[in-house]
Amino acid sequence: MIQDSQHTRDRSKGIAAYIETVSTYFDDKEMASDFLQEIHQRYPRYIRDQLSLILKVSKTVTRERRNQALEECVARKIYSATEFRDVVEFIQRQTDSHQRPPQIEAIKTLHGMDDTLLQIKPKTRELDSYIELLKGATV
């Protein structure tokens, strides 16, 4: 279905009020406000979309994770909602991988074979005897 994106956006608030609302999701409201103002300067035409994405991401993660992501974005001069979302996901993956201990499972053989059979080495011959056979020598 083709639809004008103007109809799906929240236009009940002005941009300044929307920035103020989104910045309340962070502990350091001043840093958040400066971050959002920078996004507004870089993407004035798409600021509502940018703010709605940051708000959506902020609602799905803990306060600690979104604050870490905000600090990381400001430190690295990343001013984009999609990149903010990517930083949040990266932090999420990093903390998840550090919390879960690696699962080490014993390797099980097929058909319940005896382990001693796996240690048997096949008999090997020199390659010369095979070459002689290929040339026509008799066994």
Side-chain angles (χ1 to χ4, degrees), residues 43-57:
Y43 308 103
R45 185 171 180 178
Y46 305 105
I47 188 62
R48 288 187 193 277
D49 296 330
Q50 296 279 319
L51 292 173
S52 68
L53 181 59
I54 291 172
L55 188 62
K56 178 182 170 187
V57 169

Side-chain angles (χ1 to χ4, degrees), residues 16-38 51 54 58 63 66-68 70-71 74:
Y18 205 2
I19 289 174
E20 185 64 33
T21 302
V22 174
S23 66
T24 61
Y25 279 83
F26 300 94
D27 288 339
D28 190 350
K29 290 176 182 47
E30 184 177 333
M31 182 191 294
S33 181
D34 292 343
F35 174 71
L36 297 172
Q37 289 294 339
E38 181 66 30
L51 292 173
I54 291 172
S58 296
R63 184 176 276 290
R66 63 179 166 248
N67 286 326
Q68 286 176 340
L70 175 66
E71 290 170 5
V74 170

